[in-house]
Amino acid sequence: MRRLLVGLTALSVLAAVTACGSSDSGGQDKAGSSGPTTVKVGVVPVLDVAPLYLGEKQGFYADRGIELELSPAQGGAAIVPGVVSGQFQFGFSNTTSLLVARSKNMPVKAVANGAASTGEGGADFAAITVKKGSPLTSAKQLGGRKAAVNTLNNICDTSIRESVRKDGGDPSKVEFVEMPFDQMPAALDGGQVDAACTPEPALATVKAAGGKEIASNFYDVSPDLTVAMYFTSQQYAAKNPDLVKRFQEATAESLRYADSHPEEVRQILTTYTKIPATLLKELTLPRYPAEPDRPSIERLAELGERDGLFEKAPDLDELLP
């Protein structure tokens, strides 16, 4: 069902938005009324979204009259149609999935930055990993092999292709297999896949089992890669400008807090992922800059066009805050 939703044409998505627009009251801006406004946010259970959970805990959203209802999903590609249809008021998505949505004229609008690469190859918060004893030692060897990604046609397969390309391999020969991040370590050990796109905490889990990384796929796209962003629908933003502004402000404060409190980032991860507490100190944290890095997003758009992800080139001015 998720793949069907992701494949919706722009016309059908817009029709769904129109159909629910008159009756959808979820998360309506209630500035001036008593009590906080509850908003549903689609998130992916990875290290990237730790600032949102920290901000909720620290009261940054409550201070602005917002109560978060966080709903985990497998990936941004699944969250996009949920935001467009009104199931969620806000969502978290990898940047490539948002670019794909814009290329299909889906009315999505980024409202806040999410997470970024560490800027260090071989020391990033995500990597292409293989199991202990694997004969694979570099990205170019992935041709003809199976690589796990959380959802197809997102930042994982886009960046893996770029790592393979930069290493002199043929990215068209990589076979991508879709599965949740937390299932990837076992899939590697069991031989269901040869490699995996593993952001933290899956990266630490693979390494703890003796696995190794063969490429820093996010870094290979851009050292300052904007990996993901928080977004809403253009319709919701137009109807609720004050609420969107308050969400932006609370998220910006949460990002700053996360950047300056790394140990709290590690601890909050245990509340929404399955990572053992013993691995917390092994985690490589992403950066949480206040603003998206446009050049890196332009690079992702170039790669998406090269790999045939877009029906037409996405308009970055329509997408970015």
Side-chain angles (χ1 to χ4, degrees):
M1 179 59 71
R2 185 179 69 256
R3 294 186 184 181
L4 290 174
L5 285 171
V6 174
L8 285 174
T9 64
L11 180 62
S12 62
V13 172
L14 290 173
V17 172
T18 303
C20 70
S22 61
S23 60
D24 178 19
S25 59
Q28 283 297 107
D29 196 342
K30 299 177 181 177
S33 65
S34 60
T37 301
T38 300
V39 296
K40 296 180 180 179
V41 186
V43 296
V44 185
V46 289
L47 185 55
D48 309 37
V49 299
L52 206 65
Y53 286 86
L54 278 178
E56 181 184 37
K57 181 179 179 181
Q58 293 298 318
F60 301 151
Y61 293 91
D63 289 345
R64 293 169 174 84
I66 297 174
E67 181 176 334
L68 299 180
E69 184 178 321
L70 304 177
S71 300
Q74 186 166 320
I79 294 171
V80 167
V83 170
V84 172
S85 67
Q87 177 186 356
F88 305 126
Q89 283 73 58
F90 296 94
F92 174 87
S93 174
N94 72 85
T95 305
T96 295
S97 289
L98 291 176
L99 291 170
V100 170
R102 281 303 325 172
S103 76
K104 296 176 181 291
N105 287 326
M106 291 185 179
V108 294
K109 181 71 175 179
V111 297
N113 198 30
S117 166
T118 64
E120 297 182 52
D124 204 0
F125 78 101
I128 303 173
T129 54
V130 296
K131 71 177 181 179
K132 181 180 180 180
S134 170
L136 302 181
T137 58
S138 67
K140 67 181 178 182
Q141 295 173 311
L142 290 177
R145 306 279 188 161
K146 294 180 179 179
V149 295
N150 63 317
T151 57
L152 297 174
N153 297 327
N154 81 351
I155 199 167
C156 270
D157 43 19
T158 294
S159 58
I160 287 175
R161 288 189 185 99
E162 181 65 357
S163 291
V164 172
R165 189 181 289 120
K166 280 190 167 182
D167 198 36
D170 185 350
S172 69
K173 295 187 181 299
V174 182
E175 180 183 349
F176 294 104
V177 179
E178 190 176 78
M179 67 179 65
F181 288 125
D182 61 6
Q183 294 180 15
M184 291 182 186
L188 282 173
D189 285 341
Q192 288 98 327
V193 294
D194 302 292
C197 172
T198 48
E200 298 287 16
L203 177 57
T205 303
V206 170
K207 288 182 175 180
K212 60 185 178 181
E213 62 180 85
I214 60 173
S216 296
N217 47 312
F218 290 170
Y219 176 87
D220 285 343
V221 173
S222 172
D224 297 315
L225 182 62
T226 293
V227 176
M229 294 181 284
Y230 296 94
F231 70 103
T232 189
S233 69
Q234 290 180 322
Q235 180 202 38
Y236 188 80
K239 286 186 176 181
N240 304 278
D242 180 65
L243 179 57
V244 170
K245 181 180 179 181
R246 286 184 277 134
F247 180 87
Q248 288 175 316
E249 292 172 348
T251 303
E253 186 172 6
S254 299
L255 291 168
R256 290 192 297 269
Y257 188 87
D259 249 347
S260 59
H261 295 80
E263 292 311 309
E264 291 187 42
V265 171
R266 297 175 194 276
Q267 290 298 326
I268 201 74
L269 194 64
T270 62
T271 66
Y272 65 93
T273 75
K274 301 176 182 178
I275 186 169
T278 54
L279 293 182
L280 290 178
K281 65 180 180 180
E282 308 298 331
L283 296 174
T284 300
L285 303 186
R287 290 183 298 118
Y288 298 112
E291 300 293 335
D293 180 76
R294 182 163 180 138
S296 74
I297 297 173
E298 290 173 348
R299 180 59 180 155
L300 278 176
E302 291 171 3
L303 293 176
E305 286 192 75
R306 182 171 186 172
D307 294 330
L309 296 185
F310 308 139
E311 297 175 359
K312 66 175 183 178
D315 187 334
L316 298 190
D317 291 332
E318 287 289 323
L319 172 62
L320 298 179

